[in-house]
Amino acid sequence: MASNLEVDFTCPVCFDIFKDSVVLSCSHSFCKVCLQQCWESKGSRECPVCRRRSSKEVPAPNLVLRNLCETFLQERSQRASAGSGEFCSLHSEKLKLFCLDDEQPVCVVCRDSRQHTNHKFQPLDEAASDFKGKLKIGLEVLQKKLTEFEQAKIRCGAKEKCLKIQVQQTETQIKQEFEKLHHFYEMKRQPG
């Protein structure tokens, strides 16, 4: 429910809840500051949504929308401070349970609906605690693997250095042997 209201109370310029809302003759509303910035950047007074030119330099305040936005923000703040948590989008009830079959939070009305017939439920905080435990175990496994990979990388780096040294030594030996053979061949070619 709150998410639908939030969309209705959102400025099309800044995508935030209206602040000091104003309305144009085309009936589109904006934050006063957002509209002024648009007009200044464009150099003309036109609606940012429909591009209709505004004849008024100072748009009319939208008092009804301003009051609704203030009420909405106060209620949202009160819900947040009361620790109300999330609400069911179908029934506007607080999500207190976790459906183990569907692996999703549900309200008490959802629990009794046909959609969740014969499903198993757990209090939301218990389910969260269980999932945190599973995540902790999974994280420990991943951290252990990361440590193993880092150690393997160090070992591979050491082997790579050793192999490079061996390659350089082998190249040097081959060049020396080639020089000896070439010198020997030159000595054999010369009459003597």
Side-chain angles (χ1 to χ4, degrees), residues 29-69:
S29 294
F30 305 93
C31 298
K32 185 177 182 179
V33 172
C34 293
L35 184 62
Q36 287 172 345
Q37 288 174 348
C38 283
W39 284 0
E40 287 172 14
S41 67
K42 293 242 182 209
S44 64
R45 292 188 313 265
E46 62 179 33
C47 174
V49 174
C50 69
R51 307 284 185 234
R52 186 171 160 191
R53 193 140 168 79
S54 176
S55 58
K56 296 180 181 178
E57 278 189 48
V58 180
N62 193 337
L63 299 176
V64 173
L65 183 57
R66 185 182 303 168
N67 292 339
L68 287 170
C69 289

Side-chain angles (χ1 to χ4, degrees), residues 121-140:
F121 298 92
Q122 189 176 22
L124 199 55
D125 57 342
E126 287 181 20
S129 178
D130 290 349
F131 278 105
K132 282 180 186 176
K134 289 176 186 177
L135 283 173
K136 185 178 177 183
I137 291 168
L139 182 62
E140 288 170 359

Side-chain angles (χ1 to χ4, degrees), residues 138-155:
L139 182 62
E140 288 170 359
V141 169
L142 289 174
Q143 285 175 332
K144 183 179 177 185
K145 285 184 180 182
L146 178 63
T147 302
E148 291 172 2
F149 284 134
E150 287 172 348
Q151 290 171 350
K153 184 178 176 183
I154 291 168
R155 286 192 303 270

Side-chain angles (χ1 to χ4, degrees), residues 102-178:
D102 293 335
E103 294 188 341
Q104 66 180 18
V106 295
C107 70
V108 291
V109 179
C110 286
R111 176 193 62 194
D112 299 332
S113 68
R114 279 188 234 134
Q115 182 184 357
H116 295 281
T117 303
N118 297 325
H119 286 191
K120 293 181 182 176
F121 298 92
Q122 189 176 22
L124 199 55
D125 57 342
E126 287 181 20
S129 178
D130 290 349
F131 278 105
K132 282 180 186 176
K134 289 176 186 177
L135 283 173
K136 185 178 177 183
I137 291 168
L139 182 62
E140 288 170 359
V141 169
L142 289 174
Q143 285 175 332
K144 183 179 177 185
K145 285 184 180 182
L146 178 63
T147 302
E148 291 172 2
F149 284 134
E150 287 172 348
Q151 290 171 350
K153 184 178 176 183
I154 291 168
R155 286 192 303 270
C156 288
K159 285 182 182 178
E160 179 185 13
K161 286 180 184 176
C162 183
L163 287 173
K164 280 184 180 179
I165 292 169
Q166 287 178 352
V167 166
Q168 287 174 345
Q169 289 173 345
T170 304
E171 278 181 7
T172 304
Q173 260 184 326
I174 290 172
K175 285 179 184 176
Q176 289 172 352
E177 290 297 320
F178 180 76

